[in-house]
Amino acid sequence: MAIHLVGETIDKTRSHYLARQGRLVPLMRGIYVDAEDDADVAIMRHAVRVAHYLYPRAYLSGASAVLLGPARDGRLFLSGRRNQRTRLRSLEIIQNTAPEHPSIAPAVIDDGMGEFRIDVSSIRQRFLEAFRIRSEHAAALDDAMRDQIAQRLVEEYGTPQGAADAVWTLARENQWYREGEHAERFLLRRPASRPVRNEAAIDLTVAWHGAPLGRLTHDGFEWRWLDGDWRGPPLIRQTTPGKLPPFIVSLLPEGWLRSVLHDRDERALLKSGRRYMSNITIAERPGELANLAPDVLTTSLARYSLDGIFTGQYAGPGRRPIEDSFERNLAAIFASSETPRLSGIQIKAPMFLGPDGTLTASTKEPFTHILKPAGTSGFEILPIVEWQALALGAAAGFETPAMALVPMPDGMPPALLVERFDIRTGNNDRRLLALEDFCSVLGLPTEAKYDGTMERVARAVRPLSTAPDEDLLIVFRRALFAWLIADGDMHLKNLAILKVAEPGSGRFTSVRMAPLYDAVTTRVFPRLARDRMALKLGGKDDRLRRSDFRSFAGTAGLKAAAADDAIDQMIRALGAALDTLTLPALLANSRVAVEAIARIQRLVRERIDKLT
């Protein structure tokens, strides 16, 4: 370690001891370097860390907010509570008084001693800082930097005038009127330049079916998507400057898996994995992508299932060690960066079904199936409930993935195994497939998955679908089905479109509503007995009537007669299914399973009666 900070990297007693022995050289109180190191080089390399150590409440501003480090001449610019200067060998820390209402944002710095976070002036504020009168901070921001910031502002706010208006808002809050005037003139007259990186920057290659699409970069402050030489259909778009593209966000782990990975932010999540859903692979070194197994379905689940039960051999994680839980053993497979990452908060495992019927974790094998084990704290019957919901969905006429209940070892409840429908179905299949959920379609963050409406989903489907009338009817039927089975978890990430392109084509030949997936009757679980619809329909999420669905149909552009026919057909299909569906033999002797299925059927019958 080239630099030592008392209280952070070394304690006070040891620092005094090593300094007395001549092994450390004190630079100023609390800051030491190794005696054999070049102190000037060390202090410049760790300049931001030193400044943050000395002035923890200050933030990088001016040129240092752009560079995320000192300028070439050794000046590091901060803004804080007062004007002051601190010289430390070749480093000069220059701090000016921050405005009353600063606009700041966090950035990530890596100086070889690990990553740390520090606040920096926002894009708008650093642009105003560039035009401060008699300011050393402003003088250090040259025209190239101003051009870069101007380009970023125009990108975010759409037009130079929109950027000028946004900058003026901040200028007025801090009474920086002259700075606002100069900034406006510059935005309306001058071109922009390219951005600068720091050592914490990452540069990731994103590939689809093994072919590079472009690069995803993070300069320590914000994300940028850079299109490559890809000539196929457009898949990834950056809708908000500085933020991850929604399509990439939709691939990131949530809930249980995110906690297992111990990753704090998007950067760490993307650096920890290689393989994702929708045939996406991401790596810092492009050469790594060629060694990853392509996800191709070569063994169908139908070959190894009978009457809803998996008949192959399960060789995945279990509860073998006496003191280890199944979740801990399942989490262990995610220690490998080659294990595919899954989205969603439910516990899931990526699996591979081999030609001999052996089901194993897909750490180095193709990711062909998803295993959904039983939950805890009242959700032990979740696989059974989802099995029943998907079976009802298939009976109602929805396209559903192949599925089977898996007898689990060590006395664990059965798990649900679901076959992926977004991958190729053989080595001769050359199609390009991508699954995009509606958080991504609508450009919404994952945490907003419950904030949409069915009307908004329908509005998004029409311009995207290659068969809009058919897909709008599917959207209508999905909303109806969710209500009839009391599915309160049909949110924006559980609705998706499946995009398919042919090799060499510059467009998607098929963009359709994806098959039914992740359907559950939530009202059978503890504390969810009064669960409501996840997405409102006509402003309502409960006590829906036929008239509500007819109104929704009109909003979606469907005819009232088509809506009535769809309602009547689904009522008939579900009624017939309830009379004929039987429990697999695996569940016949399970009192909990029998009671859960009986409760689901009662709920469905009650809601059918209300729509008849």
Side-chain angles (χ1 to χ4, degrees):
M1 185 180 296
I3 198 165
H4 303 268
L5 306 175
V6 174
E8 289 191 4
T9 64
I10 193 172
D11 61 66
K12 184 177 180 180
T13 302
R14 182 166 177 77
S15 65
H16 287 172
Y17 171 77
L18 294 177
R20 285 197 302 270
Q21 288 199 328
R23 294 164 62 183
L24 292 183
V25 175
L27 298 180
M28 65 181 302
R29 186 172 182 178
I31 303 175
Y32 298 80
V33 294
D34 292 325
E36 65 268 23
D37 288 344
D38 185 321
D40 289 313
V41 172
I43 203 68
M44 288 302 296
R45 182 179 184 188
H46 305 292
V48 178
R49 186 181 294 271
V50 169
H52 189 47
Y53 174 78
L54 294 173
Y55 310 110
R57 296 186 179 180
Y59 56 88
L60 293 180
S61 56
S64 293
V66 177
L67 301 172
L68 296 181
R72 282 189 177 183
D73 58 8
R75 291 179 298 167
L76 183 74
F77 299 97
L78 302 177
S79 291
R81 292 182 292 179
R82 62 178 66 90
N83 292 323
Q84 61 184 17
R85 305 172 78 94
T86 303
R87 181 172 289 278
L88 195 57
R89 294 293 180 100
S90 54
L91 174 67
E92 186 174 19
I93 302 172
I94 303 168
Q95 183 176 168
N96 68 3
T97 304
E100 291 185 5
H101 305 286
S103 175
I104 58 177
V108 181
I109 304 294
D110 186 354
D111 58 1
M113 290 173 58
E115 294 184 358
F116 65 97
R117 295 177 180 275
I118 186 171
D119 286 336
V120 303
S121 295
S122 70
I123 301 292
R124 289 187 303 156
Q125 180 163 310
R126 70 184 70 162
F127 196 56
L128 287 171
E129 290 168 348
F131 299 97
R132 298 230 66 190
I133 306 301
R134 296 182 295 278
S135 166
E136 195 170 353
H137 285 57
L141 283 158
D142 58 27
D143 284 345
M145 291 181 181
R146 296 182 188 189
D147 283 337
Q148 174 206 339
I149 301 170
Q151 180 185 24
R152 171 64 177 77
L153 286 167
V154 172
E155 182 180 355
E156 179 170 1
Y157 295 101
T159 64
Q161 186 59 60
D165 292 341
V167 170
W168 257 113
T169 300
L170 182 59
R172 282 191 292 269
E173 289 178 0
N174 292 290
Q175 299 181 21
W176 285 7
Y177 300 115
R178 185 170 294 181
E179 291 84 352
E181 291 174 0
H182 287 293
E184 182 179 47
R185 292 196 199 104
F186 192 96
L187 282 166
L188 299 180
R189 296 180 185 178
R190 297 296 301 273
S193 183
R194 63 181 184 179
V196 178
R197 294 181 58 201
N198 83 66
E199 286 190 45
I202 57 175
D203 191 338
L204 304 171
T205 296
V206 181
W208 182 35
H209 287 285
L213 292 175
R215 289 169 34 236
L216 191 62
T217 67
H218 192 281
D219 61 4
F221 179 71
E222 63 180 8
W223 289 101
R224 275 186 177 272
W225 169 254
L226 305 173
D227 290 314
D229 296 328
W230 174 250
R231 294 292 180 266
L235 180 63
I236 298 175
R237 65 196 190 283
Q238 186 170 29
T239 56
T240 304
K243 302 294 184 181
L244 269 181
F247 185 82
I248 300 295
V249 173
S250 71
L251 303 175
L252 296 181
E254 303 172 66
W256 175 83
L257 179 53
R258 185 160 187 162
S259 67
V260 162
L261 295 173
H262 303 295
D263 291 327
R264 296 172 299 172
D265 56 19
E266 298 163 338
R267 299 172 71 257
L269 286 170
L270 286 168
K271 289 170 70 176
S272 72
R274 298 289 182 273
R275 302 163 61 193
Y276 298 85
M277 296 288 287
S278 291
N279 306 287
I280 294 292
T281 50
I282 302 175
E284 291 188 88
R285 291 177 291 276
E288 297 177 6
L289 300 177
N291 299 323
L292 299 176
D295 295 335
V296 179
L297 180 68
T298 54
T299 306
S300 67
L301 181 56
R303 288 178 55 186
Y304 293 99
S305 61
L306 180 65
D307 296 330
I309 304 299
F310 177 63
T311 57
Q313 180 181 358
Y314 176 77
R319 201 161 50 191
R320 295 178 183 88
I322 295 176
E323 295 183 357
D324 279 357
S325 67
F326 170 72
E327 288 80 6
R328 182 181 300 178
N329 289 313
L330 179 59
I333 71 172
F334 289 100
S336 170
S337 61
E338 295 183 358
T339 300
R341 280 18 182 172
L342 300 94
S343 60
I345 62 172
Q346 183 184 356
I347 298 176
K348 303 173 187 175
M351 307 297 287
F352 168 67
L353 182 59
D356 61 350
T358 301
L359 186 66
T360 58
S362 59
T363 300
K364 294 184 180 295
E365 302 289 349
F367 172 22
T368 60
H369 293 76
I370 300 173
L371 183 75
K372 299 183 176 184
T376 57
S377 303
F379 289 88
E380 291 81 2
I381 59 171
L382 181 56
I384 298 168
V385 174
E386 185 171 350
W387 173 85
Q388 174 73 102
L390 289 175
L392 289 174
F398 290 104
E399 183 180 356
T400 57
M403 62 170 182
L405 289 166
V406 180
M408 295 293 283
D410 309 315
M412 291 185 293
L416 181 68
L417 186 66
V418 179
E419 191 163 274
R420 288 185 64 185
F421 53 78
D422 63 329
I423 58 175
R424 293 167 173 168
T425 56
N427 293 323
N428 295 325
D429 186 354
R430 307 310 303 165
R431 294 175 302 157
L432 305 174
L433 302 98
L435 186 71
E436 184 173 11
D437 66 46
F438 272 85
C439 272
S440 174
V441 170
L442 297 173
L444 296 174
T446 299
E447 55 268 23
K449 62 186 178 183
Y450 290 100
D451 296 342
T453 65
M454 291 307 303
E455 287 81 4
R456 191 173 181 184
V457 171
R459 285 196 299 270
V461 165
R462 183 170 289 281
L464 289 174
S465 173
T466 51
D469 290 338
E470 295 176 35
D471 277 340
L472 285 170
L473 184 57
I474 291 175
V475 170
F476 174 82
R477 296 179 68 247
R478 286 292 304 274
L480 176 64
F481 180 72
W483 169 249
L484 287 174
I485 70 165
D487 182 355
D489 203 43
M490 191 188 71
H491 49 66
L492 293 176
K493 287 188 70 66
N494 284 341
L495 288 167
I497 54 175
L498 183 61
K499 300 179 176 181
V500 182
E502 298 299 326
S505 175
R507 63 182 182 85
F508 289 105
T509 53
S510 173
V511 179
R512 298 296 311 275
M513 284 295 296
L516 178 71
Y517 66 93
D518 284 1
V520 291
T521 300
T522 55
R523 287 207 171 195
V524 300
F525 297 107
R527 300 182 300 277
L528 295 178
R530 298 184 181 276
D531 200 26
R532 297 166 178 259
M533 291 275 284
L535 304 177
K536 289 186 177 181
L537 184 150
K540 297 174 64 176
D541 57 10
D542 199 10
R543 301 174 186 264
L544 296 175
R545 298 289 184 265
R546 179 182 284 256
S547 58
D548 297 313
F549 288 100
R550 296 187 77 208
S551 296
F552 171 54
T555 303
L558 299 173
K559 295 180 180 178
D564 281 328
D565 287 344
I567 294 171
D568 293 337
Q569 289 174 10
M570 188 171 294
I571 286 174
R572 287 195 297 271
L574 286 179
L578 293 174
D579 292 334
T580 58
L581 282 178
T582 57
L583 276 176
L586 178 66
L587 306 178
N589 295 323
S590 170
R591 180 182 60 81
V592 175
V594 171
E595 290 178 355
I597 297 302
R599 188 175 176 194
I600 292 172
Q601 293 183 353
R602 285 197 302 272
L603 280 168
V604 176
R605 291 187 190 280
E606 289 172 3
R607 294 197 170 188
I608 284 176
D609 290 342
K610 292 178 181 179
L611 288 185
T612 302

